[in-house]
Amino acid sequence: TMWALATLKVQSPELVQMLSSVCLRKAGDFNPQALANTMWALATLKVQNLDLVQMVCSVCLRKVEDFTPQDLSNTMWALATLKVQSPELVQMLSSVCLRKAGDFNPQALANT
């Protein structure tokens, strides 16, 4: 998985490209955790795949209400790290963060 590659700090452009292609096709089926983990992995690996980032952002917009505090935190961090300009998604994430702020642990608060 993308998350595992990022966690293990594996640098394999061919594998990242292959996984990115699969993610593009299947992102619509991702649950909130998979979306957040994918964004986190892309940012951690410094992957600059605009098509994939835009697709994941689009799906995030549809599922953001179901994000946990950790999903929100990871996604906001990834957007900032990748310097993604997605005002609509940032607004939606911020709105959900406001409603769920009491559920955030210290790390999620610091990363959001």
Side-chain angles (χ1 to χ4, degrees):
T1 68
M2 238 11 143
W3 177 87
L5 291 177
T7 300
L8 295 170
K9 297 177 175 58
V10 173
Q11 295 297 320
S12 176
E14 301 84 17
L15 184 53
V16 169
Q17 178 59 40
M18 187 273 303
L19 289 172
S20 294
S21 295
V22 174
C23 286
L24 262 172
R25 290 193 311 271
K26 297 186 178 207
D29 297 329
F30 285 12
N31 65 26
Q33 183 178 359
L35 292 166
N37 286 352
T38 299
M39 288 296 288
W40 178 87
L42 292 171
T44 300
L45 292 168
K46 298 175 178 62
V47 174
Q48 295 295 321
N49 184 327
L50 185 58
D51 291 337
L52 179 55
V53 169
Q54 288 177 337
M55 171 62 80
V56 174
C57 286
S58 173
V59 178
C60 284
L61 278 169
R62 295 194 313 264
K63 299 183 180 189
V64 69
E65 293 294 333
D66 297 324
F67 277 33
T68 66
Q70 187 69 47
D71 299 333
L72 293 164
S73 176
N74 287 352
T75 303
M76 291 285 268
W77 177 86
L79 292 172
T81 300
L82 290 169
K83 297 177 177 49
V84 172
Q85 298 299 315
S86 182
E88 184 180 7
L89 179 56
V90 170
Q91 177 61 41
M92 290 288 295
L93 289 165
S94 298
S95 177
V96 175
C97 283
L98 281 171
R99 287 195 306 280
K100 296 185 178 186
D103 298 331
F104 279 52
N105 66 30
Q107 180 181 353
L109 283 170
N111 290 347
T112 303

